[in-house]
Amino acid sequence: MLDYAALNALAAVVREGSFERAARALHVTPSAVSQRVKLLEERTGGALLVRGQPCIATEAGQQLCRHIERVGMLEHELREALPALGMGGRSGEGAERVTVRVAVNADSLASWFMAAAAAFARQEESALLDLTVDDQDHTAERLRSGAVLAAVTALAQPVAGCNSEALGAMHYVAAASPEFVERYFAKGVGARTLAHAPSLVFDRKDRLQARWVRRICHRSIETPRHWLPSAQGFVEAARAGMGWGMLPASMAADAMRTGALVELVPGSALQVPLYWQQARAAPQLLERLKAAVRAAAASGAHALR
């Protein structure tokens, strides 16, 4: 039989990043957490953690964390079906709440997804969300590795063992301030001017600007880049004349209406279809999260079309 107190300790260290924070979360001493993880490693015959700042699970540690996470969801369902069991866990160490890990792209989180998260949190008082932000082209990798149980992704093809459901598409416009356009694109938008004008890029995974440039110029162009990993900051930086970027149409709409932002090439918006993927044999808790996501996507017509 597995030692679930030890599994809870391992999962807490991975979730919190250190033995000290895990101990506070579990209401025990750091030495108790360390001892439980050590005993679990002795039983499994290998390292489960890479000790550091933060502590990171090894592949074997990830498998055990996924197991205890799913067990927590199953116990959550059992407590709902049999209220007489109460809200206490096996040892009272945090088992009264279950954490659901989800990967979502930054633009969705800054626009429509927060409504889904808030609705789920109101409905499920005994559940907590652990949201991981990644590029929409890469969130599926976190699902594939088991780091999360569900993801908002641009990948339509279901990850092995998962279902995929279309949510709609985010529209992105290439935009900048009028002053920026006058300074860098007075002679038009083309390969020469794009190679000179600073662009805004979210992070090293963000390929939207490159995709748009390739569409306009029919070839790849190296553009000067400001790296700016903030969805809201992206729009503000464009308004301030820092550079041009691919902005979510819903987030740039007000500035476009007032003229604070202008589209570089009218009618050249990019559409990025988004999908919800989750484990096929999902616990009911995850199904209720999917319902909240589906509802938010349907009502967030300003963000998803």
Side-chain angles (χ1 to χ4, degrees):
M1 294 292 292
L2 292 171
D3 183 342
Y4 282 94
L7 286 173
N8 275 328
L10 172 67
V13 173
V14 173
R15 183 173 61 251
E16 301 295 334
S18 73
F19 285 82
E20 291 74 17
R21 288 194 292 272
R24 288 197 294 270
L26 295 176
H27 307 293
V28 296
T29 64
S31 61
V33 174
S34 179
Q35 183 66 17
R36 290 174 191 181
V37 172
K38 181 180 179 181
L39 290 174
L40 193 59
E41 289 180 322
E42 290 176 353
R43 181 165 185 182
T44 57
L48 300 176
L49 286 173
V50 177
R51 273 74 169 173
Q53 297 295 330
C55 294
I56 301 172
T58 64
E59 184 175 349
Q62 289 176 359
Q63 291 178 356
L64 290 176
C65 287
R66 291 196 294 271
H67 172 75
I68 193 64
E69 190 172 55
R70 287 176 170 84
V71 168
M73 288 191 179
L74 291 173
E75 286 196 345
H76 181 275
E77 290 183 14
L78 190 59
R79 289 194 298 271
E80 286 185 334
L82 302 174
L85 289 177
M87 294 304 293
R90 283 172 296 271
S91 60
E93 295 176 358
E96 69 278 0
R97 281 196 169 94
V98 61
T99 297
V100 184
R101 291 181 293 165
V102 179
V104 59
N105 60 308
D107 292 331
S108 290
L109 186 60
S111 52
W112 65 272
F113 189 85
M114 193 57 70
F120 177 76
R122 288 193 300 268
Q123 178 186 359
E124 307 292 338
E125 293 186 358
S126 58
L128 301 172
L129 285 173
D130 184 352
L131 301 180
T132 298
V133 176
D134 205 342
D135 185 86
Q136 62 269 2
D137 292 326
H138 296 268
T139 49
E141 290 299 323
R142 294 181 180 264
L143 188 61
R144 189 175 288 112
S145 70
V148 299
L149 293 176
V152 175
T153 174
L155 181 68
Q157 181 67 27
V159 171
C162 294
N163 289 325
S164 178
E165 179 175 321
L167 296 172
M170 291 200 73
H171 289 233
Y172 290 85
V173 293
S177 70
E179 296 77 15
F180 185 91
V181 172
E182 177 62 28
R183 179 178 180 183
Y184 289 98
F185 297 115
K187 297 182 179 180
V189 178
R192 185 184 298 273
T193 51
L194 284 168
H196 180 61
S199 61
L200 303 172
V201 181
F202 189 85
D203 59 19
R204 269 67 181 175
K205 298 177 181 178
D206 181 8
R207 303 299 300 163
L208 284 177
Q209 284 69 219
R211 283 175 54 189
W212 185 84
V213 168
R214 196 177 304 115
R215 173 190 283 187
I216 298 301
C217 300
H218 307 291
R219 62 188 176 94
S220 297
I221 302 292
E222 280 298 312
T223 63
R225 301 176 183 91
H226 291 298
W227 302 101
L228 188 62
S230 166
Q232 188 60 45
F234 222 71
V235 177
E236 294 306 314
R239 285 171 57 102
M242 186 174 173
W244 72 270
M246 299 304 297
L247 311 179
S250 61
M251 297 177 67
D254 289 342
M256 299 279 281
R257 276 193 295 270
T258 62
L261 288 173
V262 294
E263 194 172 1
L264 299 190
V265 179
S268 64
L270 287 180
Q271 293 187 35
V272 179
L274 293 178
Y275 302 85
W276 175 257
Q277 292 207 29
Q278 68 178 42
R280 191 169 294 132
Q284 284 302 309
L285 189 67
L286 207 52
E287 288 293 327
R288 292 196 287 273
L289 175 58
K290 180 176 73 172
V293 169
R294 186 190 295 126
S299 63
H302 64 289
L304 289 173
R305 290 181 270 176

